[in-house]
């Protein structure tokens, strides 16, 4: 008999989009407004990276359970991979923001996850740290433009 690992997943759906536009990230409202106008096909970087990172877990789905935030902040990736998950909340409306990341992490912490796994950049890492500090293990799937934090794996597969 094996224990089930409870992973909290948070995806910053705007992560990495600033690089393709020659920007230095996706922080700030003016940049977010510009990025929000991209098509779904153009907004795939974070989702693609989450799928690359989690695809191997599809074979071990019985040993892993996810909690996440709705839509493109995690639910979309987990549904696409067929992994077991529960949705704890969702963005109130429009494009997600840093406050949505913090709200999601508060809910994940309260749900008792064993680990927070997130896709984003350094800004997303800061938002998560502001909530959990050192109270939970956190691992980042590199998806942003600014990747300087030691919380990130070297690649989505790693």
């Amino acid at each position: 008999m094996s224990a089930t690992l409870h992973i909290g997943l948070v995806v910053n759906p705007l992560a990495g989009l600033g690089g393709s536009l020659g920007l230095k990230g996706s922080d700030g409202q003016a940049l977010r407004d510009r990025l929000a106008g991209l098509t779904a096909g153009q907004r795939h970087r974070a989702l693609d990276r989450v799928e690359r990172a989690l695809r191997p877990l599809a074979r071990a789905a019985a040993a892993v359970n996810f909690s996440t935030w709705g839509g493109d902040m995690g639910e979309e990736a987990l549904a696409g991979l067929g992994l077991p998950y529960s949705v704890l909340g969702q963005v109130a409306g429009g494009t997600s923001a840093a406050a949505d990341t913090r709200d999601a992490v508060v809910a994940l912490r309260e749900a008792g996850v064993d680990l927070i796994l997130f896709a984003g950049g350094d800004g997303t890492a800061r938002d998560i740290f502001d909530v959990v500090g050192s109270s939970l293990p956190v691992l980042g799937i590199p998806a942003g433009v600014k990747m300087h934090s030691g919380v990130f794996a070297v690649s989505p597969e790693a």
Side-chain angles (χ1 to χ4, degrees), residues 31-83:
L31 297 178
R32 289 173 37 74
D33 290 343
R34 182 174 172 194
L35 295 173
L38 297 176
T39 67
Q42 293 169 311
R43 295 176 57 163
H44 63 23
R45 179 180 171 102
L47 176 62
D48 288 349
R49 292 192 169 222
V50 170
E51 289 176 349
R52 284 172 49 194
L54 297 182
R55 193 166 286 117
L57 290 179
R59 294 184 294 272
V64 180
N65 187 43
F66 288 88
S67 291
T68 192
W69 218 238
D72 58 4
M73 285 190 69
E75 178 183 20
E76 185 179 333
L78 294 170
L81 290 166
L83 290 165

Side-chain angles (χ1 to χ4, degrees), residues 123-139:
T124 308
R126 281 190 310 274
D127 293 333
I128 292 171
F129 180 77
D130 287 346
V131 174
V132 301
S134 60
S135 67
L136 276 172
V138 176
L139 179 61

